[in-house]
Amino acid sequence: MDTKLSLVLFSGTDDKLNAAAVLTAGAAAIGRPVHLFLQYWALDAFRADRMGANHGLAPEAGPQGQAAVTALAAAGQAPWHETLRQAKELGEVEIQACSLSMDLLDINEADLDPLVDGVEGVTAFWLAAGEGQIAFI
Amino acid sequence: MDTKLSLVLFSGTDDKLNAAAVLTAGAAAIGRPVHLFLQYWALDAFRADRMGANHGLAPEAGPQGQAAVTALAAAGQAPWHETLRQAKELGEVEIQACSLSMDLLDINEADLDPLVDGVEGVTAFWLAAGEGQIAFI
Amino acid sequence: MDTKLSLVLFSGTDDKLNAAAVLTAGAAAIGRPVHLFLQYWALDAFRADRMGANHGLAPEAGPQGQAAVTALAAAGQAPWHETLRQAKELGEVEIQACSLSMDLLDINEADLDPLVDGVEGVTAFWLAAGEGQIAFI
């Protein structure tokens, strides 16, 4: 089963980025091609100089949720960008930045972490997505 | 490739509405039929008397994100509802309000901007979505 | 049309959980198998001792949105877990907890409401999703 999976990453908080990374790694592990398209605050999190920073959590996490995430990180859980790096080694994972969001946030390709493979427009994203599965995170 | 794209719009902040509008316009531009289903705070943003208002951003945007969005709007970027209007002229885009959310927010069809084509229930949404692609934004 | 619908539930606020429950019930009502995969704050909301608690709303709801939700609940609207319970009686709805999120939040299977059918990993989720439709809520 090689249905393509195309994920639009919009949110830039560590919980959503981790959920996206784990879903990507799981899909790649069973041989599915995964295409990530970075928009808005998710794109911002892929700046080379901020990737390892604390990007916060969704507001609903609250202090208890924050404590749980902190404890798991302290126990050695891989951060989302490390999970994505492993997923790229393991399977077919492509990461593209949305050109409109690049303009919005005034980001150049050189500002992005090498995990990002390139920049594409929305039309190119849809053409690549084809008839596969999509999700917005 | 005419796979139908059905998007459930839940969030009513300007960044998510703009992401949804841009994804819609890109899909319509390559000939794909797009069906939007408005729930909760997204539906609220389609009230005729509020559509042009400032609907804020996701909390994670922060002051820097807000500044970027404000600067792009000042530079002439079309607002999300204008992008949707163009997408409807350009391609096959249908916008339906969720009947349950109409009740929740006490909205009548006359309160909605003419961009909205009608009101439908969740079952009608799924029947229209068929085997196409879906996303929740 | 029996295309499988697989929903990743990430958010644990009552508005998103209700949107997810209503979409699930509508799909189940037309005979579609639905598979829910609970991550992060959505999983937390399925703890047996908290399911009926107030889980708040998305920040964008504001006081007006909160008032609308409160009014509808007072008027007798079924809460999201009741809608899910009915959907399970009505159709083919399976609810699985994400094993990674169980670890993160230090939850045991005995802590979860009986609505949850079991615990599975991300790979199992993708294998079950197959070529059906997916969404992230």
Side-chain angles (χ1 to χ4, degrees):
Chain A
M1 187 190 60
D2 56 356
T3 303
K4 189 169 195 171
L5 174 64
S6 297
L7 303 178
V8 180
L9 269 54
F10 172 93
S11 297
T13 53
D14 284 325
D15 46 359
K16 284 220 178 153
L17 288 166
N18 194 52
V22 162
L23 289 168
T24 295
I30 58 167
R32 298 192 42 191
V34 186
H35 185 109
L36 304 184
F37 186 58
L38 311 178
Q39 293 189 320
Y40 277 86
W41 325 120
L43 174 60
D44 198 64
F46 280 81
R47 288 183 198 252
D49 62 346
R50 302 187 193 174
M51 198 175 234
N54 178 349
H55 294 93
L57 301 176
E60 61 187 281
Q64 275 199 314
Q66 180 65 67
V69 169
T70 304
L72 207 63
Q77 188 204 36
W80 56 269
H81 44 90
E82 187 53 35
T83 301
L84 281 182
R85 214 176 301 276
Q86 289 166 7
K88 287 190 83 163
E89 285 168 15
L90 191 77
E92 194 186 329
V93 177
E94 187 184 343
I95 306 182
Q96 295 284 340
C98 168
S99 55
L100 286 172
S101 291
M102 292 288 280
D103 290 346
L104 167 69
L105 299 172
D106 197 17
I107 299 178
N108 296 309
E109 218 170 325
D111 299 330
L112 295 170
D113 186 272
L115 266 182
V116 182
D117 296 299
V119 178
E120 71 184 7
V122 174
T123 303
F125 166 74
W126 283 120
L127 289 171
E131 304 190 354
Q133 289 171 328
I134 59 162
F136 183 95
I137 298 182
Chain B
M1 187 188 62
D2 56 357
T3 304
K4 189 169 195 171
L5 172 64
S6 297
L7 303 177
V8 179
L9 269 55
F10 172 93
S11 297
T13 54
D14 285 325
D15 45 359
K16 285 220 179 153
L17 288 167
N18 194 52
V22 162
L23 289 168
T24 296
I30 58 168
R32 297 191 44 192
V34 186
H35 185 109
L36 304 185
F37 186 58
L38 310 178
Q39 291 189 321
Y40 278 87
W41 325 119
L43 174 61
D44 198 63
F46 280 81
R47 288 184 198 251
D49 62 346
R50 301 186 194 175
M51 198 175 234
N54 179 348
H55 295 93
L57 301 176
E60 61 187 282
Q64 274 199 314
Q66 181 64 67
V69 169
T70 304
L72 208 62
Q77 188 204 35
W80 56 267
H81 44 89
E82 186 54 35
T83 301
L84 280 181
R85 214 176 301 276
Q86 289 166 9
K88 286 190 83 164
E89 286 168 14
L90 192 77
E92 195 185 329
V93 177
E94 188 185 343
I95 306 181
Q96 295 283 340
C98 169
S99 56
L100 286 172
S101 291
M102 293 288 281
D103 290 346
L104 166 69
L105 300 172
D106 196 18
I107 299 178
N108 296 309
E109 217 170 325
D111 299 330
L112 296 171
D113 186 272
L115 267 181
V116 182
D117 296 300
V119 178
E120 70 184 8
V122 174
T123 302
F125 167 74
W126 283 119
L127 289 171
E131 302 191 355
Q133 289 171 328
I134 59 161
F136 183 95
I137 298 184
Chain C
M1 187 188 61
D2 57 355
T3 304
K4 190 169 194 171
L5 174 63
S6 296
L7 303 178
V8 180
L9 268 53
F10 172 92
S11 298
T13 55
D14 284 324
D15 46 359
K16 285 219 179 154
L17 288 166
N18 194 53
V22 162
L23 290 169
T24 296
I30 58 168
R32 299 193 40 193
V34 186
H35 184 108
L36 303 185
F37 185 59
L38 311 178
Q39 292 189 320
Y40 278 86
W41 324 120
L43 174 60
D44 197 64
F46 280 81
R47 288 183 198 254
D49 62 346
R50 301 186 194 175
M51 197 175 235
N54 179 349
H55 295 93
L57 301 175
E60 60 186 284
Q64 274 199 315
Q66 181 64 67
V69 169
T70 304
L72 208 62
Q77 189 204 35
W80 56 268
H81 43 89
E82 186 54 34
T83 301
L84 280 181
R85 213 175 301 274
Q86 290 167 7
K88 287 189 84 164
E89 286 168 15
L90 191 76
E92 194 186 329
V93 178
E94 188 185 344
I95 306 181
Q96 295 284 339
C98 168
S99 55
L100 286 171
S101 291
M102 293 287 282
D103 290 346
L104 167 69
L105 300 172
D106 197 18
I107 299 178
N108 296 311
E109 216 169 326
D111 300 328
L112 295 171
D113 185 273
L115 267 182
V116 183
D117 297 298
V119 178
E120 71 184 7
V122 174
T123 302
F125 166 74
W126 283 120
L127 289 171
E131 303 191 355
Q133 290 171 327
I134 59 161
F136 182 95
I137 298 183

